[in-house]
Amino acid sequence: TGTADNIAHLIGNPRFRFIRHDVTHFLYVEGPIDVVLHFASPASPVDYLKYPIQTLKVGALGTHNTLGLARVKGARYMLASTSEVYGDPQVHPQPETYWGHVNPIGPRGVYDEAKRFAEAMVMAYHRVHGVDTRIVRIFNTYGPRMRLDDGRVVPNFIGQALRREPLTVYGDGSQTRSFCYIDDLVEGITRLLEVQEHEPVNLGNPEEVSILTFAEIINRLTGNPAGIRFLPDRRIPGDPQRRCPDITKARQRLEWSPQIPLEEGLRRTIRWFEERLRSAALADAGSRYGE
Ligand code: UDP
């Protein structure tokens, strides 16, 4: 669900090689490998509902294949898991010890259960084969290089605001999320790789904000006069009502906590989307001029 543009700046770097491969099929890479990071999966509800079976396969078969690669190479392994393993949680904020509240047969189940299975598989490879594994439970993360049309709240709202449209809030907007800026997440992931911690670690920003307040912040930062449009509850049932990480474990084990405040991260992200829209408009005008 990503785009090749996101790695365009790395092409030509002699220390970078891009291999396009479907990890739900057997996987082999020549030469030594230090670390396998299994981050393949749609993560936007809109995307995983468009690809429900692929989402299940990449969480299940993709995890099995990438673990097999790590095992044969003696590599460290990291699974990108998710706050969705907690489902629509009944405990706030969510510590790693919480087992979650997930509907296996609801539409979000394809993602939630795939990641829960993936975690079980990683722990089994660690316990049975001694693979040096990590599991990171990633909470809502945002920043440059998101797809403008990926359907998640950050690109949706920023895109709408820059087009001077009202922001579409599902339900009454009282549901909460907590948004972590990408650079903070990357720092946490890097630190997790360096410690011996095989059980899951939450990474996310513990600052909880309602979706309505979030929409107001985006309108203010972009100077969007179009306001907010309330839509009926999301078409995707099971939208978690509250979500906020307990990051005590990451603070203690990794000495990590998010450093970029929400508004600062949003300013950077808005700037990036503005530039993207501007160059897309220029390219569009250029191609029409060429006609
Ligand atoms: N949301 C919204 N308007 C949008 C997109 C999302 O109100 O245009 C809400 C959605 O109902 C959810 C929250 O924003 O409560 C976060 O949704 P997102 O798709 O970003 O990811 P989730 O956290 O649900 O996995």
Side-chain angles (χ1 to χ4, degrees):
T1 54
T3 147
D5 282 354
N6 286 349
I7 51 167
H9 60 294
L10 297 170
I11 307 291
N13 181 331
R15 299 182 62 195
F16 179 79
R17 185 154 62 107
F18 176 56
I19 303 168
R20 193 186 168 102
H21 181 81
D22 177 350
V23 292
T24 66
H25 298 297
F26 179 79
L27 172 66
Y28 187 74
V29 179
E30 293 288 338
I33 293 181
D34 299 313
V35 185
V36 175
L37 300 150
H38 177 26
F39 279 61
S41 176
S44 159
V46 172
D47 285 341
Y48 57 70
L49 292 175
K50 197 164 156 201
Y51 302 108
I53 295 171
Q54 292 90 335
T55 301
L56 282 157
K57 284 173 73 179
V58 78
L61 307 176
T63 303
H64 190 208
N65 288 329
T66 51
L67 277 165
L69 179 66
R71 182 184 174 210
V72 64
K73 297 288 184 179
R76 269 177 292 168
Y77 183 91
M78 183 181 282
L79 170 72
S81 186
T82 167
S83 54
E84 283 281 329
V85 300
Y86 302 122
D88 191 1
Q90 294 175 314
V91 170
H92 301 285
Q94 294 84 54
E96 291 86 350
T97 46
Y98 178 49
W99 290 356
H101 182 230
V102 172
N103 175 5
I105 58 164
R108 296 177 83 110
V110 299
Y111 183 59
D112 304 8
E113 295 295 5
K115 291 292 189 183
R116 289 168 69 96
F117 175 91
E119 289 196 4
M121 183 68 106
V122 170
M123 290 311 295
Y125 263 66
H126 173 65
R127 293 186 181 121
V128 177
H129 296 307
V131 177
D132 187 9
T133 56
R134 311 283 185 281
I135 297 172
V136 53
R137 289 187 180 150
I138 301 172
F139 284 65
N140 294 63
T141 298
Y142 70 98
R145 301 205 175 104
M146 291 183 96
R147 246 175 50 227
L148 198 54
D149 65 347
D150 94 356
R152 280 181 285 189
V153 69
V154 174
N156 262 17
F157 281 3
I158 294 180
Q160 289 162 346
L162 294 177
R163 292 190 301 269
R164 299 306 192 221
E165 295 165 8
L167 309 196
T168 53
V169 168
Y170 300 139
D172 63 2
S174 65
Q175 69 272 35
T176 69
R177 294 294 185 273
S178 51
F179 297 97
C180 184
Y181 189 66
I182 181 65
D183 292 10
D184 281 326
L185 182 79
V186 170
E187 177 64 28
I189 285 169
T190 314
R191 290 188 189 201
L192 178 55
L193 272 176
E194 300 305 327
V195 299
Q196 285 294 317
E197 176 57 66
H198 304 294
E199 297 205 354
V201 178
N202 288 339
L203 290 181
N205 194 317
E207 191 186 329
E208 189 177 357
V209 51
S210 77
I211 293 300
L212 182 57
T213 304
F214 188 64
E216 288 163 355
I217 295 173
I218 303 261
N219 274 340
R220 177 164 50 77
L221 294 179
T222 53
N224 179 25
I228 287 165
R229 184 153 63 101
F230 289 93
L231 295 181
D233 268 348
R234 200 175 207 179
R235 297 134 296 163
I236 310 163
D239 200 348
Q241 186 57 29
R242 288 187 75 182
R243 183 187 286 155
C244 180
D246 180 331
I247 59 163
T248 309
K249 188 171 178 182
R251 284 186 202 277
Q252 288 171 351
R253 297 287 284 126
L254 316 178
E255 293 175 28
W256 175 89
S257 64
Q259 301 300 308
I260 316 272
L262 182 61
E263 293 202 6
E264 169 59 22
L266 284 175
R267 273 196 204 93
R268 292 187 200 179
T269 310
I270 290 165
R271 214 176 302 134
W272 187 84
F273 277 122
E274 266 170 349
E275 278 160 23
R276 289 294 298 226
L277 288 174
R278 204 173 304 131
S279 47
L282 278 177
D284 191 39
S287 68
R288 265 185 282 129
Y289 181 73
E291 284 162 14

